[in-house]
Amino acid sequence: MKIYVYTTPNCPQCQTSKTMLNNAKVVYTEVDVSQDEAAMQLVKELGYASAPVVVFDSTHWSGFRHEKLENLITRYRSFLVQEAA
């Protein structure tokens, strides 16, 4: 399961989202859209204008979304259990 978190510097919602994922020991790739033009274009193509943007599988959203992050953490843990079996 590949998880991407598209962020910008000094973004409180980005930091809160990353903290929640880090505390749950979720492995993800952070991409700073202020430093990556292709990533910025992808975020725009998905229809978002603010960070963070979380993308995994065919799911994505913008902003700190506690309930969505909880769901992602649950799915991630289930994925790890399946991988270990």
Side-chain angles (χ1 to χ4, degrees):
M1 169 183 267
K2 292 274 189 179
I3 302 166
Y4 296 90
V5 181
Y6 296 92
T7 63
T8 57
N10 304 315
C11 165
Q13 290 188 357
C14 299
Q15 190 57 47
T16 304
S17 296
K18 293 186 305 179
T19 297
M20 190 169 171
L21 293 172
N22 291 338
N23 287 344
K25 300 196 181 347
V26 172
V27 176
Y28 62 92
T29 300
E30 179 180 3
V31 182
D32 181 346
V33 296
S34 71
Q35 301 296 317
D36 187 328
E37 187 66 34
M40 176 65 86
Q41 187 60 37
L42 172 68
V43 165
K44 287 180 180 179
E45 287 172 6
L46 290 173
Y48 302 115
S50 63
V53 174
V54 178
V55 178
F56 69 99
D57 296 335
S58 60
T59 304
H60 48 83
W61 68 84
S62 176
F64 174 72
R65 306 281 298 273
H66 188 271
E67 70 285 350
K68 289 188 176 283
L69 287 166
E70 285 288 344
N71 183 44
L72 168 57
I73 291 165
T74 299
R75 289 178 63 181
Y76 181 80
R77 289 178 178 157
S78 293
F79 173 77
L80 291 180
V81 169
Q82 290 173 354
E83 286 285 302

